[in-house]
């Protein structure tokens, strides 16, 4: 009986140590978790309050120490939590000034009078490393009237990284690599030299506009990303933008074939200096493109892609989507008269063609030159000339064409030195 009484007294003593008069528990304060949550590269400390029912504001100061220095290596959104009152503060954000510094912060609660310490009143955590890589979506682009160049954020698992809040990354012009001059040949839209990422987005863009002058078409501007330490540079830290100007912006859209000007018969007639030995006409011109009313192609200036859709054997040369850039201006003969009628054209360089013009052999060099020029038909309607001037045929005229190439070979192989190139006209698809 005495033993039971002693246990009961001990229990009452313990209970009394955890209560105030009247049986009310003493409130406690603590960090919510042993380590803060990391949100978009910042550390978020939250407070946990137990057994407090008061309405008056109570300040819970937080001290910061460690080898990282406040206001130099990091900033804090507040230096105290506030419990209750009209403006409570229940979280504090610690944001690195320099990401990846390898320094740590120790945050400690100062327990206010009338409260006890909870589970976590001190925690030590490292400042965040860079949270993502930023990269242009492409290494090449073209500037007609205006171009919006996409920039992506990618996390360490190579997946899209979405920022929590609106974010900007600076962009600079590489003046050593650029031949175009900012303010003379081009300008940033709204003078905004930055990529803007909306909240909860992993994709932003920077926009530049063409300034029309007499001689800036064909110039180059190289843009480079200049992130702060929160982001590292990704695959494409810079993008080369060809200024093609308003002349070639008319290429944007889809074009459907109107007429094949260079036929096998017309080419044979012009090649009076060629001998076929024992080969027949059919053998010489097997695989030569023939008119197909379904042939078409598109230029998409938003994505910077040339998109072929050929059903004739042109598909053996234009084998897939290409990025494109502007080449030189060239004058090409449009007929077999002497002197011939010459047409000034712009060369567009594609990066995904089969120079062998074959369905079974594929060239290692996939860069091809194609010339374009605008004219009108007899009714005054817009007409686009497309001249395939740069190829090494392994099908039609397989033995004849190599004898016409200059030595050493210089691009464009045919357009600059012979009349042996393919001309087709196109009209804008409705």
């Amino acid at each position: 009986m005495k033993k039971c009484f002693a246990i009961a007294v001990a229990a009452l003593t313990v209970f009394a140590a955890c209560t105030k008069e009247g049986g009310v528990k003493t409130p406690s304060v603590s960090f919510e978790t042993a380590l803060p949550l990391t949100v978009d590269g910042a550390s978020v400390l939250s407070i946990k309050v137990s057994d407090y029912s008061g309405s008056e504001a109570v300040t819970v100061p937080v001290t910061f120490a460690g080898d990282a220095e406040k206001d130099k290596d990091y900033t804090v959104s507040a230096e105290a939590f506030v419990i209750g009152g009209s403006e409570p503060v229940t979280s504090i954000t610690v944001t690195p000034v320099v990401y990846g510094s390898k320094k740590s912060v120790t945050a400690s609660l100062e327990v206010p009078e009338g409260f006890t310490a909870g589970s976590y009143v001190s925690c030590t955590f490292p400042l965040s490393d860079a949270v993502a890589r930023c990269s242009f979506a492409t290494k090449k682009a073209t500037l007609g009237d205006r171009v919006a160049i996409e920039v992506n954020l990618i996390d360490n698992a190579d997946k899209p990284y979405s920022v929590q809040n609106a974010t900007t990354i600076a962009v600079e012009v590489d003046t050593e690599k650029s031949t175009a001059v900012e303010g003379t040949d081009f300008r940033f839209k709204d003078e905004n030299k930055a990529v803007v990422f909306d909240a909860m987005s992993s994709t932003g863009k920077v926009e530049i506009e063409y300034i029309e002058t007499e001689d800036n078409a064909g110039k180059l501007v190289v843009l480079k990303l200049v992130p702060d330490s929160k982001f590292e540079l990704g695959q494409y830290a810079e993008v080369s933008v060809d200024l093609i100007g308003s002349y070639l912006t008319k290429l944007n859209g889809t074009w459907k074939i109107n007429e094949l000007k260079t036929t096998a018969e017309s080419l044979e007639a012009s090649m009076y200096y060629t001998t076929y030995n024992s080969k027949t006409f059919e053998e010489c011109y097997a695989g030569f493109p023939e008119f197909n009313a379904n042939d078409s192609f598109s230029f998409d200036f938003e994505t910077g892609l040339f998109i072929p859709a050929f059903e004739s054997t042109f598909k053996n040369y234009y084998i897939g989507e290409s990025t494109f850039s502007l080449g030189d201006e060239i004058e090409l003969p449009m007929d077999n008269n002497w002197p011939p009628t010459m047409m000034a054209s712009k060369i567009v360089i594609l990066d995904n063609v089969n120079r062998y013009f074959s369905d079974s052999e594929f060239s290692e060099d996939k860069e091809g030159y194609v010339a374009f020029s605008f004219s009108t038909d007899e009714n005054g309607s817009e007409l686009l000339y497309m001249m395939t001037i740069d190829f090494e045929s392994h099908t039609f005229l397989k033995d004849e064409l190599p004898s016409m190439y200059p030595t050493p070979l210089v691009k464009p192989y045919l357009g600059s030195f012979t009349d042996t190139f393919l001309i087709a006209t196109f009209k804008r698809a409705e």
Side-chain angles (χ1 to χ4, degrees):
M1 185 69 164
K2 289 181 179 180
K3 182 178 180 179
C4 292
F5 177 76
I7 293 173
V9 171
L12 287 172
T13 302
V14 171
F15 181 75
C18 298
T19 61
K20 289 184 176 181
E21 294 182 7
V24 179
K25 291 183 178 180
T26 303
S28 66
V29 291
S30 167
F31 288 121
E32 182 75 30
T33 53
L35 292 173
L37 297 177
T38 300
V39 180
D40 201 20
S43 301
V44 181
L45 298 160
S46 298
I47 191 170
K48 179 180 179 181
V49 182
S50 300
D51 303 318
Y52 178 71
S53 58
S55 58
E56 295 296 321
V58 177
T59 299
V60 183
V62 180
T63 59
F64 296 92
D67 60 353
E69 186 178 337
K70 185 165 65 69
D71 297 327
K72 178 180 178 182
D73 297 310
Y74 64 93
T75 61
V76 296
S77 61
E79 298 196 27
F81 294 109
V82 178
I83 304 169
S86 59
E87 297 181 356
V89 177
T90 58
S91 65
I92 295 174
T93 301
V94 179
T95 304
V97 172
V98 178
Y99 289 74
S101 68
K102 307 302 181 185
K103 295 182 178 181
S104 297
V105 178
T106 298
S108 302
L109 291 175
E110 295 183 14
V111 180
E113 185 178 354
F115 288 76
T116 61
S119 301
Y120 313 115
V121 293
S122 181
C123 63
T124 299
F125 54 92
L127 294 175
S128 175
D129 287 332
V131 300
R133 305 187 304 276
C134 58
S135 170
F136 287 110
T138 181
K139 63 180 181 180
K140 295 172 65 177
T142 55
L143 173 59
D145 292 322
R146 178 181 299 141
V147 64
I149 305 169
E150 183 177 299
V151 178
N152 297 320
L153 296 177
I154 307 100
D155 65 16
N156 293 327
D158 293 327
K159 295 182 178 180
Y161 178 87
S162 297
V163 294
Q164 296 296 309
N165 303 303
T167 300
T168 60
I169 291 178
V171 174
E172 287 184 354
V173 178
D174 190 324
T175 55
E176 293 185 359
K177 295 180 180 179
S178 300
T179 56
V181 178
E182 181 184 354
T184 299
D185 302 309
F186 72 95
R187 57 178 165 255
F188 287 85
K189 184 182 178 183
D190 300 326
E191 300 183 353
N192 187 13
K193 296 176 68 170
V195 184
V196 179
F197 297 87
D198 294 331
M200 306 309 296
S201 172
S202 62
T203 299
K205 61 184 179 181
V206 59
E207 297 184 71
I208 57 175
E209 300 173 326
Y210 184 78
I211 299 175
E212 189 77 54
T213 65
E214 293 183 359
D215 61 352
N216 60 355
K219 290 185 177 181
L220 174 73
V221 56
V222 178
L223 303 180
K224 57 183 181 181
L225 295 169
V226 189
D228 59 28
S229 61
K230 183 176 180 178
F231 302 101
E232 296 177 334
L233 292 172
Q235 182 179 12
Y236 300 132
E238 64 179 35
V239 60
S240 299
V241 185
D242 286 299
L243 276 63
I244 61 175
S246 57
Y247 174 81
L248 283 182
T249 56
K250 294 191 295 182
L251 282 174
N252 195 40
T254 300
W255 298 86
K256 196 170 182 64
I257 195 166
N258 173 67
E259 181 183 6
L260 183 61
K261 293 278 190 179
T262 309
T263 63
E265 291 76 13
S266 68
L267 189 57
E268 184 200 28
S270 68
M271 293 177 64
Y272 57 86
Y273 41 78
T274 301
T275 58
Y276 299 148
N277 300 320
S278 60
K279 297 173 86 174
T280 66
F281 174 86
E282 287 75 18
E283 289 172 328
C284 283
Y285 288 95
F288 195 89
E290 297 180 354
F291 178 82
N292 187 309
N294 293 323
D295 280 357
S296 66
F297 64 85
S298 301
F299 277 94
D300 185 340
F301 277 35
E302 286 295 319
T303 60
L305 292 176
F306 168 83
I307 306 166
F310 290 95
E311 294 186 11
S312 71
T313 51
F314 271 122
K315 67 184 178 183
N316 295 335
Y317 181 79
Y318 300 99
I319 56 176
E321 293 183 353
S322 297
T323 60
F324 58 89
S325 57
L326 185 69
D328 296 330
E329 186 169 293
I330 189 172
E331 284 202 343
L332 296 172
M334 293 293 106
D335 53 43
N336 295 322
N337 298 326
W338 187 259
T341 302
M342 306 297 289
M343 179 179 286
S345 307
K346 293 281 190 179
I347 290 177
V348 172
I349 303 172
L350 306 179
D351 68 356
N352 186 30
V353 303
N354 179 15
R355 300 179 52 77
Y356 293 163
F357 232 121
S358 169
D359 62 357
S360 59
E361 297 180 75
F362 296 90
S363 59
E364 291 186 10
D365 180 4
K366 295 184 179 298
E367 184 182 75
Y369 289 27
V370 185
F372 292 92
S373 187
F374 286 94
S375 184
T376 56
D377 64 12
E378 61 277 6
N379 299 316
S381 299
E382 185 178 46
L383 202 60
L384 175 65
Y385 278 77
M386 181 180 79
M387 285 74 77
T388 306
I389 62 176
D390 184 35
F391 58 89
E392 305 171 67
S393 177
H394 280 207
T395 51
F396 58 85
L397 297 173
K398 181 177 181 180
D399 298 321
E400 286 71 24
L401 289 180
S403 66
M404 302 172 61
Y405 294 138
T407 303
L409 296 177
V410 178
K411 289 185 177 184
Y413 288 5
L414 296 180
S416 295
F417 301 98
T418 78
D419 298 346
T420 313
F421 54 90
L422 309 182
I423 306 174
T425 63
F426 290 76
K427 289 190 174 181
R428 194 177 294 277
E430 297 179 357

